[in-house]
Amino acid sequence: MKKIYYIGGSPCSGKSTIAEILSEKYHLYYFKVDDFLDKYMKAGAEKGCELCRKLEMMSQEEIWMRDPVLQCREEILIYKEIFEFVWNDLEQIKENDIITEGAAYLPELMKRCNVMKNRYLSMTPTADFQILHYKQREWISYFLEGCKDQEKAFSNWMDRDLLFAQEVRKQCEQEQYVSVINDGSMKMEEYVSLAARHFGLDNH
C-alpha cells in the first residue's frame, strides 16, 4: 500500500531541503507542490475559482502592495481552491512511497483528508531566520520586478509569510499535528533526523 509523508508549513523553513534528503536516503518519490503551482492556478482559474482568477489578472505591483493581512488571508483561500488538483496529482503517482512538501498542505486540509498524525509535519521559520534566508535567494528580485517600491513590496511579502506561519502553527495546535519551528539553532541534519523519526522512516 502506498505511503505518503507530508511536510507542510510556510516558505523558507527548510521543507524542500528536508524532503530532498529524506527522498534520497529512504528511496522515496519526491513530489514538490511548488513545481506545479502555475498549473494548479490556471486549472483553478479555468474552473472559475474566485481567487485563482483574481490573481491571474493582477500585476506584481497589485499583488505585493496589498495589505499583508489580506495577502495572508487570500493565500490560505487559494490553497483551499487548488487543493483538489494537488490531491488528484498525488493519487496518480504510481510509486509505493512518496515524500511531498508545500505550503498548500494546511493542517486543516490534512485533517479533512484524514491524514494520520505520524504522516504530517509542519515546518515554519522564525522571523529572523525567514528574512535572512529569503534575502539569499536570487529569484526574489524577479518576483518584485514590476513593483515601484521594491523595499515595501518585500516587507509586505515577509509580513504575509510571518502571518501565514502563525496561522499554520495555530491550525497545528487545533488539529494536534506536530509543528516544528526553525530558528537556525539546529543543523539541517538534525531536522532531517527529527522528521525521519516522526515519520517512522528510521525504522525501515
Side-chain angles (χ1 to χ4, degrees), residues 33 47 49 77 87 121 130 134 145 189 192:
V33 175
K47 187 180 176 182
C49 296
L77 291 174
W87 198 256
L121 179 72
Q130 173 188 298
Y134 254 120
E145 250 180 0
E189 292 83 358
V192 171

Side-chain angles (χ1 to χ4, degrees), residues 39-53:
K39 182 184 86 167
Y40 297 145
M41 292 292 291
K42 287 178 182 176
E46 288 172 5
K47 187 180 176 182
C49 296
E50 180 182 350
L51 286 169
C52 287
R53 292 181 67 180

Side-chain angles (χ1 to χ4, degrees), residues 3 8 24-26 28 33 59 84 101 105 110 112 117 121 139 146 153 158 174-175 194-195 203:
K3 294 179 181 177
E24 185 174 340
K25 186 173 181 179
Y26 296 101
L28 307 172
V33 175
S59 66
E84 65 174 295
E101 61 86 13
Y105 295 127
M110 298 287 94
R112 190 181 305 167
K117 292 180 174 60
L121 179 72
W139 45 261
M158 294 301 96
Q174 290 172 339
E175 308 300 350
L194 185 156
N203 296 325

Side-chain angles (χ1 to χ4, degrees), residues 6 50-51 61 68 70-71 77 86 91 109 123 139-142 149 155 158 200 204:
Y6 303 85
E50 180 182 350
L51 286 169
E61 175 82 8
L70 176 61
Q71 288 191 46
L77 291 174
V86 179
E91 289 185 334
L109 296 176
M123 293 284 302
W139 45 261
I140 292 295
S141 58
Y142 167 78
D149 186 346
S155 176
M158 294 301 96
H204 287 196

Side-chain angles (χ1 to χ4, degrees), residues 142-161:
Y142 167 78
F143 282 92
L144 302 177
E145 250 180 0
C147 300
K148 296 173 185 175
D149 186 346
Q150 292 194 5
E151 187 175 336
K152 177 60 176 174
F154 182 74
S155 176
N156 287 343
W157 185 349
M158 294 301 96
D159 287 345
R160 181 204 70 173
D161 281 3

Side-chain angles (χ1 to χ4, degrees), residues 86-155:
V86 179
W87 198 256
N88 287 340
D89 275 359
L90 272 176
E91 289 185 334
Q92 299 304 314
I93 297 171
K94 302 302 182 185
E95 278 73 6
N96 286 334
D97 296 332
I98 301 166
I99 182 79
T100 180
E101 61 86 13
Y105 295 127
L106 295 166
E108 65 177 62
L109 296 176
M110 298 287 94
K111 184 70 172 182
R112 190 181 305 167
C113 293
N114 297 312
V115 173
M116 295 184 294
K117 292 180 174 60
N118 65 344
R119 294 288 175 83
Y120 176 76
L121 179 72
S122 164
M123 293 284 302
T124 55
T126 59
D128 289 343
F129 185 90
Q130 173 188 298
I131 294 169
L132 172 64
H133 287 268
Y134 254 120
K135 286 182 175 179
Q136 294 173 356
R137 297 185 171 185
E138 297 176 357
W139 45 261
I140 292 295
S141 58
Y142 167 78
F143 282 92
L144 302 177
E145 250 180 0
C147 300
K148 296 173 185 175
D149 186 346
Q150 292 194 5
E151 187 175 336
K152 177 60 176 174
F154 182 74
S155 176

